[in-house]
């Protein structure tokens, strides 16, 4: 262990240290000053996020089981930044009385999943990948059941753990088939030994289905809405953005580096899955009344668009996907931030409760509008640029019909995003949500999200940086 | 002077910022009027600069070009430049926006937000007309459409939520098609593995392969056509215009619908002329339907705004019809028609807003004899009506005459027949215009409540006078305008002639 290997693995190592420190604070710290754990953990994570941006050498460790490259570092840094915003949003919620005795659990569980995601992204061996996947999933089930006095929250936890263990089983079966035909679990060797035979394809399909559960593409999306609805809003935000982003990153790395030999096959799969995902996600989103369910289906349809970046197998697609996840973090966390602020203040989560919100809480309404416009891909906010690059990536390889279906889907999605804007701005209500001042950390988080939504698109340097480094996986 | 064109985006942006910082309603509208007044002066300066530059022999297709690389790896630029056509459109926009500010002088509900949305919309329109890069052009296009939802939904009347949603979704559907078209053009914009580009002038030098043109031309044309009220995609227009507040109707019918015509001409036909020549018969039929059906629709309407919305469908259909004729007089006529219709429809909607503000009804059979009570508004209405039905001496005549002359130059039977069918719309237009004038302005005074309503006040006279002067100016001295736009048609005509479609 020297300084260079430390830098290669710094994300995982530092996060582990932070998790252990939080645990020790819980055990030996002053029980009356539990709140300080929030600030210490946040500060530690902030420092880790900053250290993550230090440029470092690329390299492999443990005989190729762990791979680090600039592209993977960018992915991890994006996830770190997103997690930081999600944590900022949770502060005001964690300070509430019912959560005071469980502050350290929140940080330990959440940061553990982040370690798992980092291992997934950096894995060079399928076992390493599987361990990362489980580490990223199981603590989330505990987080989903965090509101222990609510039945729905417990239900969400159970649903998540059951469906994810099913998907893990499917994925493992796929892996066993892949191992059977290639005789190795090292990804680099698998890639060179892979061919388009029947058994290989079958193994790939099972493996893909397992990951598709995590990404929640149709037809593996059924757990999403229930879990999102039941889990506390802040956990849902983390689940829908960071967890999903990590799974998307892993999937694109796998498709581009491990399975290029059967690109023709997985392109067909992605084609169908992409159309299904965005259409079904959009059509179901129209009917939702609960905002968490609404955002769940909207995030399903977003994955459908993201898959457009996969399909060409091209450099532009890779860059567009990474860039879109960055944009998506700001937009979706912004939307969830508003929902969380209102839910924590009034307990209201239905679209109808938002009627006349602009008259009572103009700042929150405007933040929500920006976030929704960004999700819908309306210029000049960042979502427009992200979608444009995704569509361009698919168009570059001639998938014009797919792009046509996607752009028509954006109109459906615009419809339901406008429904919320209509409720907030156009309609009036006899009993609107009262005017309230949200806490400092909610404001801070929303400020970061709005700045990100406004600037990420215009600042072309971000996209260019992602593009420059993204293909050297 | 160098960055003159970018000022057309910067000034509205600064105006919005200024509105954010003031508090009272009076200050808000003063800032808005001031900002858009400066914009109007800038537009006049631009016309002057353009005329002097082009008469001193600057042979470039686009003048005052500024080009900044934005996304290097995709070759996306922020590129602006104008030719005679866009200069004319910018002037039109500045006039209508300025008039629109005065027409919304009495908006009292959420005044600040109203003017911010209105000026954001104007920013999008200005940005669209100065862009010569397809990406920035598209960005501004959507920026111009989306504030419409709030403007109609919050400050509109009647079934405003329904209309706002319908309009926004249909127009954004159009822009979705345009996005696909732009991507298709981009990935075919390089000969033999060169660098792809979004720059319109560079793409125009490349010949996009014919099979791709056949796919992307209809998509792009329909995309822009939706905003230009192409039949059967015009249905957003009557509902949207009827529900929108006055200034928004003015801007939307006066300027925003021109984005459709301008885009169809500048992107769809200019960049893909072969497919346009092959497939234009389909769209000629559709636009003929727009023209005649729109005019017939206007006859049976009772609501003043619906009448003018259908009339806009008819007149904007004529723009697309003329563009599809693909020869110099017709295309020049299309541009004149855009300007002419923009001015007179803005005047119409401004006057309807004034009448509605006084009588609280827009049904023509509930009013009568207004000429005696509110002479200024009524006379202005008659002038707008006469311009609309194509009276010589006003702008409508010049535009329609040029279009029909151009359209009839095609020797084929098909073109002649559709032209004759379209010409019948002049008669129908006369019917619905004179019907309104007869009932509303000249008829018997059938409601005593309206006997004591006041005539136009100063802030209502300002937009009316500005617009009337412009309409009459173009009608009396059309040459300076038509020569300015006609000269800029040269590259388009050359490109069409190179493929010898006819």
């Amino acid at each position: 262990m020297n300084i260079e290997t430390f830098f290669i693995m710094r994300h995982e190592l530092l996060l582990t240290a932070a998790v252990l420190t939080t645990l020790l604070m819980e055990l030996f710290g002053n029980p009356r000053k539990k709140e300080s754990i929030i600030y210490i953990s946040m500060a530690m994570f902030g420092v880790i996020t900053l250290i993550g941006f230090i440029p470092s050498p690329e390299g492999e460790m443990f005989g190729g089981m762990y791979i680090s490259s600039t592209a993977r570092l960018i992915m991890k840094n994006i996830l770190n930044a997103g997690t930081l915003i999600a944590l900022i949003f949770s502060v005001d919620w964690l300070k509430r009385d019912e959560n005071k005795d469980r502050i350290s659990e929140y940080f330990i569980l959440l940061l553990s999943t982040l370690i798992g995601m980092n291992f997934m992204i950096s894995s060079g061996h399928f076992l390493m990948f599987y361990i990362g996947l489980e580490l990223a999933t199981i603590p989330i089930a505990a987080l989903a059941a965090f509101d222990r006095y609510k039945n729905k929250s417990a239900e969400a936890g159970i649903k998540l753990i059951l469906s994810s263990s099913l998907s893990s089983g499917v994925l493992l079966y796929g892996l066993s088939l892949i191992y059977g035909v290639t005789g190795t679990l090292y990804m680099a060797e698998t890639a060179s030994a892979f061919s388009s035979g029947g058994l290989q394809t079958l193994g790939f399909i099972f493996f893909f289905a397992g990951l598709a559960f995590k990404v929640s593409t149709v037809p593996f999306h059924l757990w999403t809405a229930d879990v999102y609805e039941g889990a506390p809003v802040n956990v849902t935000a983390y689940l829908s953005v960071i967890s999903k982003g990590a799974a998307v990153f892993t999937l694109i790395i796998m498709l581009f580096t491990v399975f290029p030999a059967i690109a023709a096959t997985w392109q067909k799969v992605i084609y169908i899955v992409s159309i299904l995902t965005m259409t079904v996600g959009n059509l179901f989103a129209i009917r939702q009344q609960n905002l968490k369910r609404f955002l769940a289906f909207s995030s399903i349809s977003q994955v459908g668009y993201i898959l457009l970046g996969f399909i060409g197998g091209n450099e532009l697609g890779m860059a567009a996907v990474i860039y879109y996840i960055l944009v998506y973090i700001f937009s979706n966390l912004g939307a969830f931030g508003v929902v969380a602020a209102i839910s924590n203040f009034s307990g209201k989560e239905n679209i109808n409760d938002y009627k006349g919100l602009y008259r009572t809480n103009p700042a929150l309404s405007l933040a929500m509008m920006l976030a929704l416009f960004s999700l819908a891909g309306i210029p000049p906010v960042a979502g427009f640029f992200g979608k444009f690059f995704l569509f361009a990536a698919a168009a570059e390889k001639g998938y014009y019909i797919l792009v046509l279906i996607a752009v028509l889907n954006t109109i459906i999605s615009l419809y339901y995003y406008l429904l919320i804007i209509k409720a907030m701005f156009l309609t009036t209500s006899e009993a609107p949500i009262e005017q309230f001042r949200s806490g400092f950390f909610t404001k801070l988080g929303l400020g970061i999200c709005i700045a990100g939504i406004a600037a990420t698109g215009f600042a072309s340097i971000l996209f260019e940086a992602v593009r420059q480094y993204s293909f050297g996986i | 002077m160098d960055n003159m064109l970018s000022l057309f985006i910067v000034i509205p942006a600064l105006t919005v910022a200024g509105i954010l910082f003031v508090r009272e309603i009076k200050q808000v509208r003063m800032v808005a009027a001031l900002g858009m007044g400066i914009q109007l002066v800038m537009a006049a300066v631009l016309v002057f600069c353009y005329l002097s530059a082009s008469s001193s022999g600057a042979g470039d297709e686009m003048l005052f070009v500024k080009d900044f690389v934005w996304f290097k790896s995709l070759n996306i630029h922020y590129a602006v430049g104008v030719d005679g056509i866009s200069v004319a459109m910018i002037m039109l926009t500045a006039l209508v926006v300025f008039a629109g500010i005065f027409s919304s002088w009495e908006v009292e509900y959420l005044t600040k937000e109203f003017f911010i949305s209105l000026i954001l919309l104007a920013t999008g329109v200005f940005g669209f007309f100065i862009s010569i890069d397809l990406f920035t052009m598209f960005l501004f296009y959507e920026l111009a459409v989306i504030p419409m939802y709030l403007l109609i939904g919050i400050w509109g009347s009647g079934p405003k939520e329904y209309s706002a949603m319908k309009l926004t979704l249909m127009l954004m559907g159009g822009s979705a098609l345009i996005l696909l078209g732009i991507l298709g053009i981009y990935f075919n914009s390089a000969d033999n593995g060169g660098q792809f580009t979004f720059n319109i002038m560079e793409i125009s030098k490349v010949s996009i392969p014919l099979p791709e043109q056949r796919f992307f031309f209809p998509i792009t044309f329909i995309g822009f056509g939706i905003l230009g009220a192409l039949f059967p995609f015009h249905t957003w227009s009557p509902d949207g215009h009827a529900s929108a507040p006055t200034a928004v109707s003015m801007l939307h019918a006066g300027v925003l619908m021109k984005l459709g015509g301008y885009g169809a001409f500048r992107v769809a036909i200019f960049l893909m002329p072969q497919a346009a020549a092959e497939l234009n018969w389909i769209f000629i039929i559709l636009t003929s339907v727009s023209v005649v059906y729109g005019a017939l629709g206007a006859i049976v309407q009772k609501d003043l705004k619906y009448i003018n919305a259908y009339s806009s469908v008819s007149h904007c259909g004529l723009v697309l019809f003329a563009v599809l004729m693909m020869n110099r007089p017709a295309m020049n006529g299309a541009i004149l028609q855009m300007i002419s219709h923009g001015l007179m429809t803005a005047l119409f909607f401004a006057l309807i807003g004034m009448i509605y503000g006084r009588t609280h009804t827009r049904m023509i059979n509930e009013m009568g004899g207004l000429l005696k009570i509110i002479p200024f508004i009524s006379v202005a209405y008659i002038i707008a009506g006469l311009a609309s039905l194509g009276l010589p001496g006003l702008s409508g005549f010049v535009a329609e005459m040029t279009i029909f002359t151009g359209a009839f130059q095609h020797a084929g039977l098909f073109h002649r027949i559709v032209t004759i069918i379209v010409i019948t719309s002049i008669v129908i237009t006369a019917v619905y215009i004179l019907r309104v004038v007869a009932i509303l302005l000249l008829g018997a005074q059938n409601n005593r409540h309206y006997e004591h309503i006041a005539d136009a006040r100063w802030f209502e006279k300002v937009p009316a006078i500005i617009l009337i002067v412009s309409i009459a100016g173009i009608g009396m001295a059309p040459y300076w305008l038509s020569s300015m736009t006609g000269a800029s048609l040269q590259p388009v005509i050359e490109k069409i002639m190179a493929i010898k479609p006819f």
Side-chain angles (χ1 to χ4, degrees), chain B residues 116-403:
Chain B
I116 289 177
S117 312
L118 195 69
I119 293 173
L120 270 182
L121 190 157
T123 317
V125 177
F126 281 114
F128 180 84
F129 284 132
I130 60 172
S131 297
I132 52 172
D133 182 279
L134 286 175
F135 182 86
T136 35
M137 201 176 193
F138 181 74
L139 195 151
F140 283 120
Y141 178 90
E142 293 216 321
L143 185 64
V145 171
I146 203 71
M148 218 61 187
Y149 181 74
L150 295 176
L151 281 168
I152 297 180
I154 299 179
W155 294 275
S157 56
K160 55 185 183 181
E161 289 167 17
Y162 165 78
S163 306
M165 187 64 95
K166 184 175 180 181
L167 178 140
T168 314
L169 289 185
M170 286 191 75
L171 296 189
M172 293 308 274
S175 82
L177 295 180
I178 297 170
L179 174 61
L180 180 61
I182 285 177
L183 285 174
I185 293 170
Y186 172 71
F187 285 113
N188 290 293
S189 66
D191 278 335
N192 307 323
Q195 169 84 308
F196 295 131
T197 174
F198 280 106
N199 189 304
I200 294 179
M201 298 333 269
E202 281 171 36
I203 300 171
S204 73
K205 293 177 191 133
V206 182
S207 178
I208 297 170
L210 193 53
E212 272 76 19
Q213 283 197 24
R214 285 196 189 113
F215 182 63
F216 291 113
F217 170 74
I219 284 178
T220 318
F221 192 86
I222 292 175
F224 282 114
I226 291 178
L227 190 48
L230 173 71
F231 180 87
F233 307 106
H234 67 282
T235 50
W236 57 268
S237 161
D239 291 327
H241 285 142
S243 298
T246 303
V248 178
S249 294
M250 288 169 69
L251 230 72
H252 200 256
V255 181
L256 213 59
M257 283 172 90
K258 274 72 208 172
L259 262 58
Y262 181 88
F265 152 81
R266 177 80 86 201
V267 179
I269 292 182
F270 183 35
L271 301 182
M272 295 176 281
Q274 279 110 323
E278 250 183 54
L279 301 171
N280 68 355
W281 63 273
I282 304 173
F283 296 109
I284 287 178
I285 293 174
L286 289 180
T287 51
S288 311
V289 175
S290 282
V291 176
V292 179
Y293 169 82
L296 288 173
I299 288 188
V300 295
Q301 295 299 328
K302 287 180 181 154
D303 185 319
L304 280 174
K305 274 198 163 180
Y306 271 100
I307 294 176
N308 274 289
Y310 275 104
S311 143
S312 289
V313 172
S314 170
H315 283 120
C316 288
L318 196 57
V319 171
L320 293 176
F321 173 82
V323 163
L324 286 165
M325 284 297 165
M326 295 178 76
N327 61 16
R328 186 194 292 268
M331 282 184 153
N332 205 3
I335 293 151
L336 292 176
Q337 172 79 354
M338 285 199 253
I339 310 277
S340 154
H341 174 255
L343 293 169
M344 83 198 174
T345 207
L347 179 57
F348 264 132
F349 279 117
L351 296 167
I352 293 170
M354 294 175 208
I355 294 173
Y356 180 69
R358 287 167 170 73
T359 62
H360 304 289
T361 176
R362 293 194 305 253
M363 296 296 160
I364 50 173
N365 51 356
E366 293 175 11
M367 296 176 275
L370 294 185
L371 187 60
K372 280 182 197 157
I373 311 168
I374 41 173
F376 179 85
I377 297 177
S378 306
V379 168
Y381 199 97
I382 293 175
I383 294 175
L386 293 178
S388 178
L389 59 77
L391 190 79
L394 298 171
S395 60
F397 171 75
V398 182
E400 290 181 3
M401 193 65 200
T402 325
I403 290 176

Side-chain angles (χ1 to χ4, degrees), chain A residues 358-359 378-380 384 388-389 391-392 396 400 403-404 411 414-415 418 422 426-427 457-458 460 464 467, chain B residues 70-74 109 113 135 138-139 142-143 149 153-154 161 165 169 172-173 179-180 183 187 216:
Chain A
Y358 181 68
R359 298 317 297 268
I378 305 286
F384 165 72
F388 187 87
F389 298 139
F391 295 164
E396 188 180 22
Y400 289 114
V403 177
L404 179 64
I411 303 307
L414 180 64
Y415 169 70
L418 283 182
K422 174 177 147 188
L426 269 54
T427 48
F458 283 107
S460 57
E464 295 300 336
R467 173 106 197 232
Chain B
W70 193 359
F71 290 91
K72 190 158 159 282
S73 57
L74 281 165
Y109 181 69
E113 288 84 347
F135 182 86
F138 181 74
L139 195 151
E142 293 216 321
L143 185 64
Y149 181 74
I154 299 179
E161 289 167 17
M165 187 64 95
L169 289 185
M172 293 308 274
L179 174 61
L180 180 61
L183 285 174
F187 285 113
F216 291 113

Side-chain angles (χ1 to χ4, degrees), chain A residues 394-441:
Chain A
E396 188 180 22
K397 293 291 170 183
Y399 290 97
Y400 289 114
I401 302 295
L402 185 62
V403 177
L404 179 64
I405 296 170
V407 291
L408 293 180
N409 258 297
T410 58
I411 303 307
I412 308 180
S413 67
L414 180 64
Y415 169 70
Y416 57 74
Y417 291 128
L418 283 182
L419 285 182
I420 297 183
I421 290 172
K422 174 177 147 188
M424 292 189 304
F425 287 84
L426 269 54
T427 48
T428 48
S429 167
E430 285 167 10
I433 292 165
E434 284 164 44
Q435 186 170 11
F436 68 95
R437 298 180 67 82
S438 33
F440 168 74
F441 282 95

Side-chain angles (χ1 to χ4, degrees), chain A residues 295-315:
Chain A
L295 284 171
F297 280 107
S298 122
S299 78
I300 290 173
S301 76
Q302 297 287 338
V303 170
Y305 303 128
I306 291 173
L307 290 181
L308 255 69
F310 286 47
I311 193 155
N314 47 353
E315 184 203 354

